[in-house]
Amino acid sequence: MKIGILGGGQLGRMLIQSALKYDDEFYTLDPASDAPCNSISNFTQGNFNDYETVLNFGKDKDVVTIEIEHVNADALAELENQGVKVVPNSKIIKTIQQKILQKEFYKAHDIPSPEFQVVWNSDEKIVMPLPFVQKMNTGGYDGKGVQVVKTEADYQNLWKEASVIENLVDIEKELSVIVARNEDGETKKFPVTEMVADPKLNLLDFNICPVFLNEETQKQIDIITEKFLNAINSPGLFAIELFLDKEGKVWVNETAPRLHNSGHQSQEGNANSQFEQMYRVVKNLPLADTDVLGYSGMLNLVGAEGFAGKVIYEGMEEVLKLPKTYVHLYGKTETKPGRKMGHINVLADSREELMEKLIKVKEMVRVIAQ
Amino acid sequence: MKIGILGGGQLGRMLIQSALKYDDEFYTLDPASDAPCNSISNFTQGNFNDYETVLNFGKDKDVVTIEIEHVNADALAELENQGVKVVPNSKIIKTIQQKILQKEFYKAHDIPSPEFQVVWNSDEKIVMPLPFVQKMNTGGYDGKGVQVVKTEADYQNLWKEASVIENLVDIEKELSVIVARNEDGETKKFPVTEMVADPKLNLLDFNICPVFLNEETQKQIDIITEKFLNAINSPGLFAIELFLDKEGKVWVNETAPRLHNSGHQSQEGNANSQFEQMYRVVKNLPLADTDVLGYSGMLNLVGAEGFAGKVIYEGMEEVLKLPKTYVHLYGKTETKPGRKMGHINVLADSREELMEKLIKVKEMVRVIAQ
């Protein structure tokens, strides 16, 4: 089957890597000629935000999917009209792309998400009490397009474009759950993962799994994921990012309609990874079992401050000596501060052992340049 | 690093798939334009038995390795002269390529292997008592080039070319052990696997791991692998195929200087797979831990008799519904009787459960053509 992916980054690369155990042809579209998918797929250099480019790329494919949500959804709608399967469908991509539509989607389907106010332009009066979060309607990504407004003095920094003003949640834990639905309507969830800050270094977040939640919290999450899967009316794999607040209530922060950083530890930590699951969604195959195999955790390898250029992974050889430690690099030759270059997954027999190993690995490796 | 692989088949494909989690460039050489590695590496169509072709292919690589042993070893020796790293080195490849040299290697290093007689031409008198096995000196592969001679009447079927005449072992079990050695001299072994015939169907062999061997048998295998790793004087990953005879003695049947079918279940069954280990050998990195994660087994998907053409995996969708069952296809579009098209790995909590699952899966799937 000819599978087209909008975006040629690491998520697409790991999807293709995983799917090499089946017999499909992968095509990718990305503006960067050195995109991680280039050498392992039929690669087209082009802008996935451009209507004509996406249309041309998709028209001869059996199915088109995404590894980034900021793509031209109108072109995807036209591809659907022309009979090309699009996973997830253009409607849910469009809804999630725009924070305003995304928030209204949660409200319409009774999915708990922080109280919000829509602001279309800078003249509107803000009624949300301080402190609050401003999220740009479009273009937000990896923490960009999101700011916390704490005092009235901060009002002058408010972005002037269309945005959502959201109540600031008093966060106890940041959780994530990856859910999948295929065209036949079969659904599967991955176990909940938790973002934990490294208590010593206070620098990097780890993603760990499983998380032990009390019955009441797990029930709230189950209700949210059920409502979400019923509401989307589309096949797809989605990462639902959650806040558990200090009062014990669970809120949806936001949803990604694609493979997600918070699912990377599933590569070795679960019976099947999010990448295998995504492949099955795209092909409308029976969904894979997602059981945990033990404790697993993931740390991102991001470019260190002060280094730009040809990447060097300092300390990596020592990391490779550690048992049940799995290095995943993304085929990027150039590093810069904050760039996601890879990640490391770690398996352990207890949460304590896991945290110890993650902290140890974090201290061993540094992403610098020549 | 630029890594060249002689051969572009499924072993190379799974090596590259596994190594996509690092940042190297892979180049493959294969005579078939539709070789499984074609679309996922920098592919050169050409004959890996041809001196000039191999020399040209290898000369600008940082390291050259193999995924099939029937390659031009003289060209590899010349590449070594020119400063290209060859893994495993040309000397051990040449030794293993030729059954006569391979048998003499075992003898020279006191590695137990069945009694043998070298036959250079058809005039020589055969002194080996019946029944015996004849193995062609060169060109044997996947059971080809090997025949059992049981009676004097069979003498007329003897191949006339150079060959080894070997004592026929009374086999209790067929075992395999995959060993690795890097350039720094670090060595690691995978746990022993066993080829088991399906007692009901008597059609296909499964490969399972771990195998519980008595102390005496394990000790013999440990001694064999130690002697082998000391004798080779080359980095590499090797599959040592063993016979345990009815008297309890272990013999080396033969060795492959490469990734091997008997190691496929390591993809999900061990902390790291033979493919990860091979990558580390090629790059002279610390070797990976090979611990079993539970019971694992593998069955080959081979083209059914009577079918040739565009492949269909009948029953595969039902197989994908089974938990802890992993389908690996090789990207081959055309099937023919006996062609290795893929394999399925299965995990279980006991040997009984494993055998049940393997037999069930075997009965569910058939490799046919359109």
Side-chain angles (χ1 to χ4, degrees):
Chain A
M1 193 179 269
K2 286 187 178 189
I3 299 173
I5 307 173
L6 301 185
Q10 63 263 22
L11 299 174
R13 184 179 169 97
M14 290 185 278
L15 170 61
I16 295 170
Q17 178 185 24
S18 170
L20 280 179
K21 67 199 200 71
Y22 302 106
D23 288 346
D24 301 275
E25 289 171 59
F26 283 91
Y27 297 77
T28 54
L29 175 70
D30 198 279
S33 66
D34 63 345
C37 290
N38 184 332
S39 61
I40 59 160
S41 61
N42 300 284
F43 180 76
T44 303
Q45 191 176 0
N47 182 356
F48 41 63
N49 279 304
D50 181 67
Y51 183 88
E52 290 298 331
T53 305
V54 171
L55 203 60
N56 278 328
F57 173 77
K59 67 187 177 193
D60 62 345
K61 305 299 181 288
D62 297 302
V63 52
V64 171
T65 187
I66 58 170
E67 62 109 53
I68 182 167
E69 61 270 41
H70 299 298
V71 298
N72 194 300
D74 292 332
L76 291 176
E78 177 54 25
L79 285 171
E80 286 164 349
N81 285 339
Q82 294 180 11
V84 176
K85 200 194 285 186
V86 177
V87 177
N89 68 30
S90 63
K91 190 161 169 250
I92 191 73
I93 293 174
K94 193 170 260 189
T95 301
I96 291 177
Q97 274 177 343
Q98 299 182 44
K99 284 286 184 310
I100 295 170
L101 293 179
Q102 195 183 135
K103 292 294 285 189
E104 284 170 351
F105 171 86
Y106 298 138
K107 200 170 180 180
H109 292 97
D110 196 27
I111 294 169
S113 174
E115 288 295 309
F116 70 102
Q117 173 190 357
V118 172
V119 179
W120 289 103
N121 61 60
S122 54
D123 298 336
E124 279 171 84
K125 187 171 157 43
I126 292 174
V127 294
M128 184 67 62
L130 285 166
F132 60 74
V133 180
Q134 183 183 28
K135 293 177 173 176
M136 281 186 196
N137 187 36
T138 57
Y141 191 67
D142 260 1
K144 282 167 233 154
V146 176
Q147 65 174 335
V148 177
V149 176
K150 289 185 183 155
T151 66
E152 282 186 31
D154 292 339
Y155 269 64
Q156 62 184 358
N157 300 326
L158 279 173
W159 296 313
K160 305 209 184 306
E161 52 250 78
S163 59
V164 166
I165 302 288
E166 213 180 72
N167 184 37
L168 184 70
V169 175
D170 195 7
I171 300 168
E172 171 72 18
K173 274 186 206 298
E174 289 193 49
L175 306 170
S176 170
V177 57
I178 289 176
V179 301
R181 178 189 162 119
N182 69 13
E183 210 181 331
D184 289 345
E186 188 191 0
T187 62
K188 277 255 163 79
K189 304 168 191 178
F190 277 84
V192 179
T193 68
E194 180 184 351
M195 295 293 293
V196 288
D198 168 358
K200 275 198 235 160
L201 298 171
N202 202 24
L203 258 180
L204 191 83
D205 289 324
F206 302 133
N207 201 61
I208 67 166
C209 184
V211 194
F212 292 100
L213 301 166
N214 67 39
E215 213 176 301
E216 166 55 23
T217 308
Q218 187 61 55
K219 198 176 151 196
Q220 290 181 64
I221 295 173
D222 289 344
I223 292 170
I224 287 170
T225 51
E226 283 311 310
K227 283 182 180 170
F228 181 86
L229 285 165
N230 287 328
I232 49 174
N233 205 18
S234 167
L237 180 137
F238 302 86
I240 307 177
E241 294 182 74
L242 303 163
F243 293 139
L244 171 65
D245 75 12
K246 297 216 188 288
E247 244 88 273
K249 184 163 165 64
V250 178
W251 305 91
V252 173
N253 174 26
E254 58 182 49
T255 301
R258 54 162 169 81
L259 297 158
H260 196 257
N261 197 272
S262 67
H264 287 354
Q265 85 295 326
S266 65
Q267 287 171 307
E268 288 90 13
N270 295 65
N272 286 281
S273 74
Q274 65 167 339
F275 302 100
E276 170 72 12
Q277 196 71 298
M278 180 67 189
Y279 172 80
R280 294 187 180 210
V281 167
V282 167
K283 296 260 302 194
N284 191 31
L285 290 168
L287 297 183
D289 56 321
T290 59
D291 294 355
V292 294
L293 303 178
Y295 285 82
S296 64
M298 186 270 305
L299 66 98
N300 286 310
L301 292 172
V302 297
E305 289 300 321
F307 294 92
K310 197 152 188 286
V311 66
I312 295 172
Y313 298 95
E314 195 182 65
M316 194 57 88
E317 206 161 312
E318 289 303 306
V319 171
L320 290 174
K321 289 181 186 168
L322 302 175
K324 299 200 178 175
T325 303
Y326 303 91
V327 174
H328 295 266
L329 306 180
Y330 301 155
K332 298 177 181 176
T333 49
E334 300 279 319
T335 184
K336 58 185 181 185
R339 188 175 194 200
K340 282 186 187 163
M341 301 297 288
H343 67 270
I344 299 177
N345 291 334
V346 169
L347 303 184
D349 294 326
S350 69
R351 179 165 168 145
E352 292 66 38
E353 189 199 342
L354 184 68
M355 288 306 297
E356 254 174 51
K357 285 174 91 168
L358 284 167
I359 291 168
K360 183 178 166 189
V361 170
K362 163 68 190 138
E363 286 169 349
M364 285 169 77
V365 66
R366 211 160 61 114
V367 182
I368 59 171
Q370 276 181 348
Chain B
M1 195 180 269
K2 287 187 176 185
I3 299 174
I5 306 173
L6 301 184
Q10 62 264 22
L11 299 174
R13 184 178 169 97
M14 290 185 278
L15 170 61
I16 294 171
Q17 178 185 23
S18 170
L20 280 179
K21 67 198 199 71
Y22 303 106
D23 288 346
D24 301 275
E25 289 171 59
F26 283 91
Y27 297 78
T28 55
L29 175 70
D30 198 279
S33 66
D34 63 346
C37 290
N38 184 332
S39 61
I40 59 161
S41 61
N42 300 284
F43 181 75
T44 303
Q45 191 175 359
N47 182 357
F48 41 65
N49 279 304
D50 181 67
Y51 183 89
E52 289 298 332
T53 305
V54 171
L55 203 60
N56 278 327
F57 173 78
K59 67 187 176 191
D60 61 346
K61 306 299 182 289
D62 297 302
V63 51
V64 171
T65 187
I66 58 170
E67 62 110 52
I68 182 167
E69 61 270 42
H70 299 298
V71 297
N72 195 301
D74 291 333
L76 292 176
E78 176 55 25
L79 285 170
E80 286 164 348
N81 285 339
Q82 293 180 10
V84 176
K85 201 194 282 187
V86 177
V87 176
N89 68 30
S90 63
K91 189 160 169 250
I92 189 75
I93 292 174
K94 192 170 261 188
T95 301
I96 291 177
Q97 274 178 342
Q98 300 181 44
K99 285 285 185 311
I100 295 170
L101 292 179
Q102 194 183 135
K103 292 293 286 188
E104 285 170 350
F105 170 85
Y106 299 137
K107 201 171 179 180
H109 296 284
D110 195 27
I111 294 169
S113 174
E115 288 295 308
F116 70 104
Q117 173 190 356
V118 173
V119 179
W120 288 104
N121 60 61
S122 54
D123 299 335
E124 279 171 84
K125 188 172 156 46
I126 293 174
V127 295
M128 183 68 61
L130 286 165
F132 59 75
V133 180
Q134 183 184 26
K135 293 178 172 176
M136 281 187 196
N137 187 36
T138 57
Y141 192 65
D142 258 1
K144 282 168 233 151
V146 176
Q147 66 174 336
V148 177
V149 176
K150 287 183 183 155
T151 65
E152 282 187 30
D154 291 339
Y155 270 63
Q156 61 183 359
N157 300 325
L158 278 173
W159 296 312
K160 304 208 185 309
E161 51 250 80
S163 59
V164 165
I165 303 289
E166 213 180 71
N167 184 37
L168 184 69
V169 175
D170 195 7
I171 300 169
E172 172 72 19
K173 275 186 205 298
E174 289 193 49
L175 305 171
S176 170
V177 58
I178 289 176
V179 301
R181 179 189 160 120
N182 70 12
E183 211 181 332
D184 289 345
E186 188 191 359
T187 63
K188 276 255 164 76
K189 305 169 191 178
F190 278 84
V192 179
T193 68
E194 180 184 350
M195 295 293 291
V196 288
D198 167 358
K200 275 198 236 160
L201 299 171
N202 201 23
L203 260 179
L204 190 83
D205 288 324
F206 302 133
N207 201 59
I208 67 167
C209 183
V211 193
F212 292 100
L213 302 166
N214 67 38
E215 211 175 300
E216 166 54 23
T217 307
Q218 188 61 57
K219 198 176 151 196
Q220 289 180 65
I221 296 173
D222 289 344
I223 291 170
I224 287 170
T225 51
E226 283 311 310
K227 282 183 181 171
F228 181 85
L229 285 165
N230 286 328
I232 51 175
N233 205 16
S234 168
L237 179 137
F238 302 85
I240 307 177
E241 294 182 74
L242 303 164
F243 294 138
L244 172 64
D245 75 14
K246 297 215 188 288
E247 245 89 274
K249 183 162 164 65
V250 178
W251 305 91
V252 173
N253 173 26
E254 57 182 50
T255 301
R258 55 161 168 81
L259 297 157
H260 196 257
N261 198 273
S262 66
H264 287 354
Q265 83 295 328
S266 65
Q267 287 171 306
E268 288 90 14
N270 296 66
N272 286 283
S273 73
Q274 64 167 339
F275 302 100
E276 170 71 13
Q277 196 70 298
M278 180 66 189
Y279 172 80
R280 294 188 181 209
V281 167
V282 166
K283 296 259 302 193
N284 192 29
L285 290 169
L287 297 183
D289 56 320
T290 60
D291 294 355
V292 295
L293 304 177
Y295 285 81
S296 63
M298 186 271 304
L299 67 96
N300 286 309
L301 292 171
V302 299
E305 289 300 321
F307 294 93
K310 199 154 187 286
V311 66
I312 295 173
Y313 298 95
E314 197 181 64
M316 194 57 87
E317 207 161 309
E318 288 305 306
V319 171
L320 289 174
K321 289 180 185 166
L322 303 175
K324 299 201 178 175
T325 304
Y326 304 90
V327 174
H328 295 265
L329 306 180
Y330 301 155
K332 297 177 182 177
T333 49
E334 301 278 320
T335 183
K336 59 184 180 184
R339 189 177 193 198
K340 282 185 187 163
M341 300 297 288
H343 67 271
I344 299 178
N345 291 335
V346 169
L347 303 184
D349 294 325
S350 69
R351 179 165 168 145
E352 292 66 37
E353 188 199 345
L354 183 68
M355 288 305 297
E356 256 174 49
K357 287 175 88 169
L358 284 167
I359 291 169
K360 182 178 167 190
V361 171
K362 164 69 190 138
E363 286 169 349
M364 286 168 77
V365 66
R366 211 160 61 116
V367 182
I368 59 173
Q370 278 183 347

